[in-house]
Amino acid sequence: MSASRRRVGIALLLVTAAVALPSLLWLAGGSRAATREAARLEEAVRQDASRRAEGLAAGVASRLEALRTSEGTRPFYHYQNLYHDPRGAAEGTAVVPSPLAQGPRDPWVWAYFQVDPEGRVSLPSLNESFPELSSDDVEAQRAILNKLAGCSSACTRALRTAGTRALDGAAPGDRVRTERLDAASWLQNLRAPQLYADLKGIAGVPRCPLAERARMLSTTGEVDVEIGPFVWRSVALDGDHALVALREVRTPVGPFVQGFALCGDGVASWLRRAGASARLVRGPPPAADGVVRAAVPIDVDGGSFAIELD
């Protein structure tokens, strides 16, 4: 090859390099910029999802607190299917169905229940002696009772894990309150099913052992019933962890545990109406990438709950 051809070849290589190198540098820089922009957009989406989850968690917590405090004003005798209202105008023997006898009205409540001092579980919405006083679907109420009966001990333990904090260590404005009844009203509440049977002329209704115990303790004077505030607890229910609100009711015949279990379907429906594809889950927000959770800011002894976006 002649010298002139070599010089032409070298010149072409230099020209090609002079054109290609800036182009390659520009492409490399553009790729890095595109990567940075993609990362920025991804982080913005993640932060937006986190803010939405936190907003939903705050909304759920506010709704739960409103439910807890409003239910806390309910008289203790509403948790039995039949009760005697000590503030009623009727004199003498009188019992009426509980406001809870037809089941929960709030879509966030799955069931109301009570555990008596001897560990027996009952629902205000189920009366086995008088099924006509139960909620419309008696079989469904029996199924609920069977599920709750399996966690009665867990509810009692969960409420008393921290001693008597629920009654004695509550925050100001959320302390134990006392309802004072005359002894006759107290006995009527314990004997409500038997009194209903007597008033209706129905035989064969079993007597309440607690009523017999109360009769032996006292039949005159006044009776003080101490009612603690509701507190949230996480208990195992039907193979899963459920959020329940529990309170202790101290009586002369022993302590009762009253509570209501949260309805997961009710919470899910609320989240859908809020325009979110999300669910309430047990546990703290995870560190795993791709999962967006926000802790629900409520005090739950025995576990935590969070809102998780789908």
Side-chain angles (χ1 to χ4, degrees), residues 26-46:
W26 180 84
L27 288 173
S31 177
R32 287 193 296 270
T35 301
R36 288 194 300 270
E37 179 64 12
R40 185 190 68 80
L41 292 175
E42 183 179 348
E43 177 63 16
V45 170
R46 189 193 65 78

Side-chain angles (χ1 to χ4, degrees), residues 54-247:
E54 289 169 1
L56 291 169
V60 169
S62 178
R63 178 74 165 78
L64 290 175
E65 178 60 14
L67 180 61
R68 186 188 72 85
T69 55
S70 65
E71 288 295 334
T73 65
R74 190 181 295 281
F76 72 93
Y77 38 79
H78 280 186
Y79 275 77
Q80 54 193 56
N81 178 260
L82 288 163
Y83 77 100
H84 171 79
D85 189 348
R87 301 167 298 183
E91 295 183 0
T93 303
V95 293
V96 295
S98 167
L100 305 179
Q102 290 306 308
R105 300 296 186 212
D106 192 304
W108 281 43
V109 178
W110 178 61
Y112 294 96
F113 61 94
Q114 176 174 268
V115 184
D116 74 13
E118 296 181 349
R120 290 184 293 263
V121 183
S122 62
L123 309 180
S125 52
L126 178 63
N127 190 322
E128 292 287 12
S129 298
F130 309 105
E132 68 276 11
L133 299 179
S134 302
S135 181
D136 293 338
D137 193 339
V138 175
E139 288 304 318
Q141 296 304 306
R142 286 174 178 153
I144 291 173
L145 178 62
N146 289 334
K147 291 179 181 180
L148 289 169
C151 72
S152 61
S153 298
C155 286
T156 302
R157 288 194 304 270
L159 182 58
R160 297 170 185 166
T161 297
T164 56
R165 183 179 61 183
L167 284 178
D168 302 326
D174 202 14
R175 296 186 186 279
V176 61
R177 57 188 174 88
T178 300
E179 288 193 27
R180 179 163 292 174
L181 297 77
D182 62 86
S185 293
W186 167 239
L187 285 173
Q188 284 197 59
N189 271 300
L190 288 179
R191 298 182 61 240
Q194 184 64 53
L195 293 177
Y196 183 85
D198 293 344
L199 291 169
K200 293 289 187 178
I202 302 171
V205 175
R207 296 184 177 277
C208 173
L210 294 177
E212 299 304 316
R213 185 190 307 174
R215 191 191 302 278
M216 294 175 61
L217 290 173
S218 174
T219 56
T220 61
E222 294 180 324
V223 173
D224 285 342
V225 176
E226 295 180 319
I227 305 169
F230 278 110
V231 291
W232 291 112
R233 294 292 184 265
S234 174
V235 298
L237 175 62
D238 198 27
D240 198 1
H241 283 273
L243 187 59
V244 298
L246 302 171
R247 72 179 180 185

